Amino acid sequence: MNERLFHSYRPAEGHGLAHDPLNSLVAPRPIGWIGSISGAGVPNLAPYSFFNLFCYRPPIVGFSSGGEKDSVVNARDTGEFTWNLVSRDLAEAMNASSASVGPEVDEFDLAGLDMLPGVDVRAPRVAAAPVQFECKVTEIRYLKTLAGTDSSNVMVFGEVVRIHIDPAHIVEGTYRTISAAPVARGGGTADYFEIGPDTLFHMTRPR
Ligand SMILES: Cc1cc2nc3c(=O)[nH]c(=O)nc-3n(C[C@H](O)[C@H](O)[C@H](O)COP(=O)(O)O)c2cc1C
C-alpha cells in the first residue's frame, strides 16, 4: 500500500504554507464571549475562540488569552466572568467587541449592546444573547511549554454557577442548539460558521 503523502511539519519550525493553518485545523470553535467588570467598575466584553466547556459536574468553562488581556485581569481581580452565546444576529457586535481598546473602554457601549447584571456575580451579561452563563473563577494559570517554562498564554477556568436560557429555544423540555443559530469561529482571518439545520445529523453511541 502506498504511504499517503502528508504536509507534515513541526510547528516550532514553521508551517511552510502561505498562511498558518492552525486555527483552521481545529475548527469551527465555539466562541467564548466573555463579560467581566474591572476592579474600578468598568464593564468589559471580548470574544475568545480558545474557549470550551470541559465537564458536566460541576460545569467548568475556560478561555485562553494571548498575554494578560483585560478579561484576564478582570477575572483575576474580581473572581468572576460571564459567557454569552453568540447567535448569528449578534456576530457583528461580537466582532466589534474584539477591538483593541484600553481597560477604560466599555465594549458593551462600543458594540451598542445592552447589559444585564449577573444574579450571582457582578460581571455583566449580554442582554440579547440567547444563553448566558455566570461563572466564578476556579483557576488562572499560564500554559506550560514542553520545556516546562510558562508560555505567554493564560488560561482562565471558571465554574458555571448560574445559567440563563431564552425559553424560545426550549421545545418540549429540550434546548435546541440550532434554534439560537450559534456562530462558531472558522479559520483564517475572517471565517465563521453559522450552525443551522443543514449541518445537523444524528448518531447514537455504541453500547
Ligand atoms: C472571534 C474572535 C476570537 C478571538 N479569540 C481570541 C482568543 O482565543 N485568545 C485571545 O487572546 N484573543 C482572541 N481574540 C482577540 C480578542 O478578542 C481581542 O484581543 C480583545 O481586544 C481582547 O479584549 P480584552 O482585552 O477586553 O479582554 C479573538 C477575537 C475574535 C474576533
Side-chain angles (χ1 to χ4, degrees):
M1 201 171 103
N2 286 338
E3 199 183 320
R4 283 167 69 198
L5 276 181
F6 288 95
H7 176 77
S8 300
Y9 66 99
R10 293 187 170 122
E13 295 165 4
H15 47 74
L17 298 174
H19 301 283
D20 186 351
L22 194 60
N23 75 345
S24 311
L25 298 174
V26 183
R29 292 181 306 284
I31 298 173
W33 205 11
I34 305 299
S36 61
I37 190 163
S38 72
V42 181
N44 195 84
L45 182 67
Y48 286 81
S49 70
F50 292 127
F51 164 85
N52 224 312
L53 167 71
F54 293 101
C55 49
Y56 275 117
R57 278 178 296 275
I60 290 178
V61 294
F63 65 95
S64 161
S65 170
E68 297 218 359
K69 296 185 179 177
D70 296 343
S71 304
V72 178
V73 173
N74 294 350
R76 180 181 288 120
D77 286 354
T78 64
E80 299 172 346
F81 63 91
T82 65
W83 171 75
N84 304 274
L85 180 67
V86 180
S87 48
R88 179 62 192 90
D89 56 325
L90 293 174
E92 285 73 19
M94 174 280 295
N95 197 30
S97 75
S98 76
S100 299
V101 289
E104 71 288 354
V105 176
D106 171 354
E107 291 95 350
F108 283 87
D109 202 25
L110 190 74
L113 292 162
D114 288 334
M115 273 186 293
L116 280 175
V119 176
D120 294 323
V121 301
R122 279 189 66 221
R125 305 182 270 145
V126 176
V131 181
Q132 306 135 11
F133 288 179
E134 297 186 18
C135 309
K136 293 198 177 177
V137 173
T138 52
E139 288 178 66
I140 298 181
R141 54 162 69 192
Y142 275 85
L143 294 176
K144 290 216 178 293
T145 68
L146 191 56
T149 56
D150 283 350
S151 73
S152 57
N153 304 288
V154 197
M155 192 84 208
V156 178
F157 291 102
E159 182 172 327
V160 182
V161 295
R162 184 176 284 273
I163 295 177
H164 305 270
I165 306 171
D166 180 341
H169 304 300
I170 301 174
V171 180
E172 291 169 358
T174 304
Y175 173 73
R176 308 279 183 189
T177 302
I178 56 171
S179 168
V183 169
R185 178 75 170 99
T189 53
D191 289 359
Y192 290 88
F193 292 89
E194 175 184 345
I195 311 300
D198 297 352
T199 49
L200 177 68
F201 69 99
H202 301 283
M203 185 160 56
T204 50
R205 268 168 76 169
R207 288 190 173 269

